[in-house]
Amino acid sequence: MGTLLQDLKYGFRMLAKNPGYAAVVVLCLALGIGANTAIFTLINAVMLKSLPVEKPEELVLFGEGRMAGTSVIDGIPRPGPWELISYPLYKEYRDDNQVFQGVCAFQSNEARLNLRIGGTGNGAPEEPVFGKVVSGNYFSVLGVKAAAGRTLKPEDDTVAGANPVAVISHGFWQRRFSRDPSVVGSIVDISGIPFTIVGVTAPGFFGETLESNPADIWAPLSMESQVLLEPSRLDNRQNFWLHLVGRLKPGVTSQQAQAAVTTHFQQYLLQMAGSNVTSDDRRDLTKVRIDLTPGGKGVSQLRRRYSQPLKILMVLVGLVLLIACANVANLLLARATARQKEISLRCALGASRTRMIRQMLTESVLLAILGGVVGLLLAGWGTSLLVYLVSRGTYIPLSISPDARILGFTLLVSLLTGMLFGLAPAVRAARTDLSTTLKEGARNVVGHGTRFSLTKALVIVQVALCLLMLVGGGLFVRTLQKLESQDLGFNRGKVLLVGISPRMAGYKPEQLPSLYRQILERVGSIPGVKSTSLALYGLVSGSARRETISVQGYTPKPREETDAQMNIVGPGYIETAGMTLLAGRGIEAQDTETSAKVAVINEALAHYYFGNQNPVGKRFGTGDEKHAADLEVVGVVKDAKYTDLREASPPMFFVPVFQDPEYMNDLQIRTAGEPTSIAADVRKTLNDIDSKLNPRRVITLSQQVDDALSQERLVAQLSSAFGGLALLLACVGLYGVMAYAVTRRTNEIGIRMALGAGAGNVLWMVLRETLLLVGVGLAIGIPAALASTRLIASQLFDLSPYDPLTLSVSSLLLIAVAALAGFIPARRASRVDPMVALRYE
């Protein structure tokens, strides 16, 4: 330890003597380490952190937390993993304690609710909150305590509609009630029903779902119909809408629990199917399963969406760090050359080579730790920016404050980095020939030879790694461009989307047609509005509704899945959305409650079921063959991107809202000018119709499409930024090497010019060496890029991982910037005064 402290003190003194050199090294390392720490912090928050609950390692999630289950046709489920569970099946799992200490249930997504403080009739304004209905044992199974009052109990969830109690989150308590303890026991109005707040959750608990807009309030599942304003699903054995989390009993493995859960599930489905089960159905039932996955991290659509991009970005910032290490190694090699006399004297006075290597490694690690400290500071700013880009301005409960895992990662990266870039210079410096170095003019003897072979190798590595970065970033940018420029099948410009919720406003189904007609008429009369319509869900909103259909005259193959996406829309929807009508007509005002039931279908559905026939006038329906004649096809529209911009258009049909009244979510408005200019008028109009119709959100269709590309945009932006940083570091490294080479060859250059070499000859001599290094780097980097880009093929769209344009542009950019980096020292070399050069040293 005494020797180590001595080495550290000596290292600090040497860095203090050369502050410029130390600052350059620390900055290079800080950029690389900071980028790695920022990405790792986001990975830690999204993928690695456990829920703030007791013993999260004991929790298992039924499925993977997706918001959809395998389809059921004629009472028989399709083979494969299952995600969602019905309430009756949940009760069977809850009461069967063979493998679990407890099983809790919760609805698959947060619901937007209207809440009024103080209860109904007190005149207080309603405010939107996010809520969720959960089982009475939800908090006890997860192991969440109350910060005030109590959490829900199993007895709160016994009789449907009998226990209007709720628990609020600690964040909502602090934000809305300023942590007032008297809130426990107070009354709030939720969807027109008075609820008693019985408790506040512990700090840090945001629910089991890591996603934007976490729950503010939890109510028992027994109050599901009252809270969500929907028909009760508590007794429906075929409605699968709940996620389940179980806590394993001590000694029970996840595999044992999965076998028990799957067996129980298959028996349940067999009972549900009843006498309709055939031998093929029984075979399919044996393939239905529930996969138990670790539940300690909860459910996260965010994790599923960003896990692969974050892994790719982690590789990219790792390459940035390697380039930074190569840069620093070159600086250390140059510094070791300048310290040869010092090292030789120390060795002559008795220092062993091992002792010298240890001293120089100590200095390298010291620089790396300083770089890690600065990098950690940069990472704090960078992580905040990353979270903003991921969340797109909405609140996501991501904990990005440095914890033991992040600090340990930064320390480990710093130590490994110090060893990586410091070992080779330290070993080579310790091998200095004493007799040669101590001779007068030794620098001239070694000025040109093999001494630069390692330096040049490091530059070549930098060029190759930089090309990998540029090609990867270029592919992601090209993917984003192709996604943005593709034919969407609708006109995204000049359309305003306004989120409405008649259900939250308290409207009953029979009141909806009158409300919708009033909305369309009043909003349509606003100056600047060209057309208006309604939709159950908006284009590229991420929402979808699938229905099993039967087509008149079409006999499906055995076990064929005859389903299609469905949207319920208002009159003028095709025109308002800017879709292309290919045949027949669209949904119009004449399609009312009393007229014949009709539908408009897309090309994909028309080709699948009707081939080359004209589908207008054909019939189909939702459900089994008894309903095959329910709907008449009155029009065909061009295929469009309805939910996913990457996938081909699925079979799709549209039905009129006045023939199938439902609680609509989107008011769509096509305008003559800028859509946002009428937003205030739309809000006022809706408020005049009913003050409870406060728009949940107001966004343009173009913004919604852009939001759907947020993942691709994040990857393209960050990979481009990291590619630019890699290019900068590589070219700085190349410039440093060539500038140092010119300085050491000043004597030689002077002799050449004295013997008749012109400035152009000297310029080309240095540039040729620069381009040679770049050429060798490209020769290594191009095959490496072609091999590695196959790993990101699944992230690309309409683009080959071997895209020649991306590879060519990346290579040319690297050559151009590298040539500029080499031109500066080459130009300086061409201006050397021969007389000054001959007197050099």
Side-chain angles (χ1 to χ4, degrees):
M1 288 300 298
T3 304
L4 177 60
L5 290 175
Q6 183 182 3
D7 287 346
L8 288 173
K9 290 178 181 178
Y10 183 79
F12 272 117
R13 288 202 305 270
M14 294 302 295
L15 295 181
K17 286 183 178 180
N18 299 273
Y21 157 79
V24 170
V25 172
V26 169
L27 180 59
C28 283
L29 293 175
L31 291 173
I33 295 174
N36 277 267
T37 301
I39 297 297
F40 179 78
T41 301
L42 198 57
I43 289 177
N44 180 51
V46 173
M47 301 171 61
L48 303 180
K49 277 196 173 181
S50 298
L51 294 174
V53 299
E54 292 182 1
K55 299 180 179 179
E57 67 279 0
E58 293 180 352
L59 298 177
V60 290
L61 176 65
F62 285 48
E64 295 182 358
R66 295 186 180 91
M67 294 185 183
T70 306
S71 60
V72 177
I73 298 178
D74 297 333
I76 303 300
R78 290 292 167 254
W82 208 267
E83 300 291 340
L84 301 179
I85 302 298
S86 68
Y87 185 75
L89 178 57
Y90 153 67
K91 291 197 295 184
E92 293 183 18
Y93 281 130
R94 180 195 63 192
D95 299 335
D96 182 4
N97 291 320
Q98 299 292 325
V99 293
F100 297 109
Q101 300 178 54
V103 178
C104 67
F106 47 94
Q107 74 182 90
S108 58
N109 60 310
E110 282 81 8
R112 194 177 179 95
L113 309 173
N114 277 339
L115 180 140
R116 179 184 287 112
I117 306 299
T120 307
N122 67 345
E126 289 186 332
E127 53 189 274
V129 297
F130 290 92
K132 181 172 283 192
V133 289
V134 299
S135 59
N137 63 350
Y138 172 81
F139 294 101
S140 60
V141 170
L142 292 181
V144 178
K145 305 298 183 183
R150 66 171 178 87
T151 59
L152 297 180
K153 297 179 179 179
E155 49 265 34
D156 295 325
D157 190 30
T158 52
V159 181
N163 291 290
V165 295
V167 172
I168 62 175
S169 70
H170 191 278
F172 185 61
W173 182 44
Q174 182 173 351
R175 183 174 66 252
R176 182 62 182 79
F177 299 99
S178 301
R179 301 180 65 179
D180 181 2
S182 66
V183 72
V184 177
S186 64
I187 303 297
V188 296
D189 178 273
I190 303 175
S191 303
I193 304 295
F195 276 73
T196 301
I197 297 178
V198 296
V200 180
T201 63
F205 181 72
F206 52 82
E208 79 301 318
T209 303
L210 179 61
E211 192 58 272
S212 59
N213 301 317
D216 300 309
I217 191 165
W218 294 269
L221 275 172
S222 61
M223 300 298 297
E224 168 247 354
S225 180
Q226 290 78 8
V227 171
L228 303 180
L229 297 177
E230 293 178 346
S232 176
R233 294 171 283 186
L234 299 181
D235 297 324
N236 192 330
R237 295 177 60 83
Q238 297 193 34
N239 196 322
F240 297 87
W241 61 290
L242 295 172
H243 282 307
L244 268 58
V245 166
R247 185 176 289 275
L248 295 174
K249 285 186 174 182
V252 176
T253 66
S254 180
Q255 291 76 16
Q256 292 171 330
Q258 180 168 315
V261 165
T262 296
T263 300
H264 193 135
F265 186 50
Q266 291 174 353
Q267 293 172 352
Y268 176 87
L269 294 174
L270 194 61
Q271 294 173 1
M272 188 178 72
S275 59
N276 295 328
V277 180
T278 65
S279 58
D280 289 340
D281 295 334
R282 288 184 180 276
R283 185 184 66 248
D284 287 344
L285 278 174
T286 62
K287 299 176 183 177
V288 175
R289 68 185 190 277
I290 294 180
D291 294 331
L292 295 186
T293 57
K297 297 182 180 67
V299 180
S300 177
Q301 304 300 321
L302 200 68
R303 185 186 309 128
R304 185 175 300 109
R305 190 183 315 135
Y306 284 102
S307 59
Q308 190 63 25
L310 284 175
K311 291 174 184 176
I312 293 172
L313 291 173
M314 195 72 218
V315 173
L316 293 180
V317 294
L319 295 179
V320 170
L321 183 58
L322 287 177
I323 294 173
C325 287
N327 252 351
V328 173
N330 274 334
L331 288 172
L332 287 183
L333 285 170
R335 180 169 168 78
T337 302
R339 295 175 62 184
Q340 283 178 355
K341 287 187 179 181
E342 171 208 337
I343 295 169
S344 299
L345 284 172
R346 296 182 68 186
C347 289
L349 293 174
S352 65
R353 295 187 186 276
T354 303
R355 181 72 178 81
M356 294 306 304
I357 291 174
R358 188 170 64 184
Q359 168 61 51
M360 299 196 72
L361 276 180
T362 302
E363 293 182 24
S364 301
V365 172
L366 182 60
L367 284 168
I369 291 177
L370 291 174
V373 171
V374 178
L376 195 60
L377 298 176
L378 293 177
W381 173 81
T383 305
S384 299
L385 177 61
L386 289 176
V387 171
Y388 175 79
L389 293 174
V390 168
S391 64
R392 304 189 300 278
T394 60
Y395 170 66
I396 298 179
L398 288 175
S399 176
I400 58 173
S401 56
D403 57 14
R405 187 182 284 126
I406 294 171
L407 295 176
F409 172 83
T410 306
L411 179 61
L412 179 62
V413 169
S414 299
L415 292 175
L416 291 177
T417 300
M419 299 294 292
L420 179 64
F421 72 71
L423 185 59
V427 171
R428 235 185 60 182
R431 290 179 178 174
T432 301
D433 182 71
L434 303 184
S435 60
T436 303
T437 304
L438 292 174
K439 290 180 181 178
E440 184 68 27
R443 286 183 64 179
N444 290 334
V445 175
V446 296
H448 183 62
T450 60
R451 183 165 298 277
F452 291 100
S453 59
L454 179 57
T455 300
K456 293 176 180 178
L458 289 173
V459 170
I460 290 171
V461 169
Q462 284 181 287
V463 171
L465 293 177
C466 183
L467 182 65
L468 284 176
M469 296 282 294
L470 291 176
V471 170
L475 288 174
F476 288 125
V477 169
R478 292 256 291 148
T479 290
L480 179 63
Q481 290 173 342
K482 284 184 172 290
L483 284 167
E484 290 178 329
S485 62
Q486 67 176 318
D487 182 9
L488 300 176
F490 57 86
N491 183 358
R492 58 187 284 187
K494 298 184 178 181
V495 175
L496 188 70
L497 305 178
V498 181
I500 59 174
S501 182
R503 176 185 285 114
M504 288 174 57
Y507 284 84
K508 293 180 173 56
E510 59 270 18
Q511 298 174 307
L512 295 177
S514 174
L515 173 67
Y516 293 153
R517 287 188 173 93
Q518 189 177 7
I519 289 175
L520 293 176
E521 180 182 353
R522 298 274 297 272
V523 174
S525 63
I526 295 175
V529 173
K530 295 180 66 176
S531 64
T532 61
S533 190
L534 295 160
L536 181 63
Y537 58 87
L539 290 164
V540 200
S541 63
S543 300
R545 175 170 168 176
R546 300 194 71 85
E547 295 282 350
T548 299
I549 65 173
S550 298
V551 179
Q552 193 175 60
Y554 180 86
T555 303
K557 302 178 181 63
R559 314 304 294 168
E560 178 183 356
E561 293 192 22
T562 56
D563 58 351
Q565 282 193 25
M566 169 188 173
N567 202 353
I568 303 174
V569 300
Y573 176 81
I574 304 301
E575 297 80 3
T576 304
M579 293 181 175
T580 302
L581 189 65
L582 301 177
R585 66 174 177 86
I587 303 297
E588 298 177 356
Q590 68 192 51
D591 300 314
T592 64
E593 303 92 320
T594 58
S595 63
K597 291 194 172 184
V598 299
V600 173
I601 64 176
N602 71 343
E603 288 179 282
L605 192 149
H607 291 160
Y608 188 88
Y609 291 103
F610 304 111
N612 295 324
Q613 302 178 46
N614 181 6
V616 176
K618 303 291 185 181
R619 291 188 169 272
F620 74 100
T622 59
D624 57 27
E625 61 275 4
K626 292 182 296 185
H627 301 281
D630 286 357
L631 300 173
E632 179 186 355
V633 178
V634 295
V636 181
V637 294
K638 182 180 177 180
D639 286 342
K641 302 291 184 178
Y642 307 110
T643 54
D644 193 326
L645 294 177
R646 285 178 173 267
E647 295 180 356
S649 300
M652 181 80 183
F653 65 99
F654 306 87
V655 296
V657 64
F658 295 127
Q659 294 183 350
D660 190 4
E662 286 231 15
Y663 290 102
M664 308 300 276
N665 294 309
D666 264 12
L667 170 63
Q668 302 188 350
I669 308 166
R670 179 163 290 279
T671 63
E674 175 58 38
T676 55
S677 64
I678 66 164
D681 292 333
V682 173
R683 289 181 183 274
K684 183 179 182 305
T685 300
L686 292 175
N687 186 67
D688 291 342
I689 294 173
D690 190 335
S691 60
K692 296 180 181 179
L693 284 174
N694 291 321
R696 300 196 310 268
R697 60 181 176 81
V698 177
I699 189 175
T700 67
L701 182 55
S702 290
Q703 289 174 320
Q704 185 149 293
V705 172
D706 289 341
D707 287 348
L709 294 173
S710 59
Q711 172 185 318
E712 288 81 1
R713 184 169 291 104
L714 174 69
V715 175
Q717 289 173 340
L718 293 183
S719 61
S720 301
F722 293 142
L725 179 59
L727 182 63
L728 175 64
L729 289 173
C731 290
V732 167
L734 183 61
Y735 167 80
V737 167
M738 298 313 300
Y740 187 65
V742 167
T743 301
R744 294 188 60 83
R745 297 175 65 181
T746 300
N747 193 314
E748 172 200 341
I749 292 171
I751 294 174
R752 288 177 179 271
M753 297 186 73
L755 294 176
N761 300 112
V762 175
L763 183 70
W764 173 242
M765 179 185 70
V766 180
L767 271 179
R768 182 177 56 199
E769 187 173 351
T770 301
L771 295 175
L772 178 62
L773 293 177
V774 175
V776 175
L778 290 176
I780 297 173
I782 290 175
L786 292 175
S788 60
T789 50
R790 291 182 299 175
L791 303 176
I792 61 172
S794 62
Q795 301 293 309
L796 306 180
F797 175 77
D798 194 24
L799 192 67
S800 167
Y802 314 116
D803 181 46
L805 178 61
T806 303
L807 191 62
S808 302
V809 171
S810 300
S811 300
L812 291 174
L813 177 63
L814 184 55
I815 291 172
V817 177
L820 178 62
F823 175 78
I824 299 174
R827 185 168 178 269
R828 190 170 70 234
S830 67
R831 295 184 173 184
V832 168
D833 186 342
M835 296 305 297
V836 174
L838 291 174
R839 291 197 299 268
Y840 190 69
E841 293 193 358

